Amino acid sequence: MSETPVKQQSTTAFYGQAVASFGVALAATALGIYNLHSDAWVRAFLGIAVLYLVTSAFTLAKVIRDRQEAGQIVSRVDQARLDKLLAAHDPYKDPGPTPQGRA
């Protein structure tokens, strides 16, 4: 029979560590840009670039996750079709008359 895949879920500690790491990295970058000895427009440009990079990273991660989940759904549908065919197949059933020319 088919085995139901176990949904992988990260632990609370891993989730907390990921959120904390993201927060520290973003805060450190913002602090570095703020304290940069340069014109305001240069700091503003770097700030916008960092925000664009962050949103692009989130979008990329979501797209990768969505494609992986879609592949798992297709795989489960294919497995269900195969299970249905195997369940309906009776190897002891008479296949009927054989085509001419074959024994």
Side-chain angles (χ1 to χ4, degrees), residues 27 57 66 95:
D66 290 349

Side-chain angles (χ1 to χ4, degrees), residues 11-32:
T11 64
T12 305
F14 180 75
Y15 178 77
Q17 185 266 336
V19 170
S21 175
F22 176 75
V24 167
L26 193 59
T29 304
L31 186 64

Side-chain angles (χ1 to χ4, degrees), residues 10-47:
S10 58
T11 64
T12 305
F14 180 75
Y15 178 77
Q17 185 266 336
V19 170
S21 175
F22 176 75
V24 167
L26 193 59
T29 304
L31 186 64
I33 290 172
Y34 179 76
N35 289 325
L36 186 66
H37 298 293
S38 185
D39 294 336
W41 73 269
V42 172
R43 291 194 309 260
F45 174 79
L46 291 174

Side-chain angles (χ1 to χ4, degrees), residues 48-64:
I48 295 294
V50 167
L51 291 177
Y52 182 60
L53 180 63
V54 168
T55 58
S56 297
F58 276 115
T59 302
L60 178 62
K62 184 185 180 313
V63 167
I64 291 171

Side-chain angles (χ1 to χ4, degrees), residues 71-88:
Q72 289 174 349
I73 290 171
V74 169
S75 176
R76 282 188 267 164
V77 169
D78 289 343
Q79 184 64 41
R81 286 181 183 158
L82 179 62
D83 289 345
K84 182 179 176 183
L85 284 172
L86 290 175

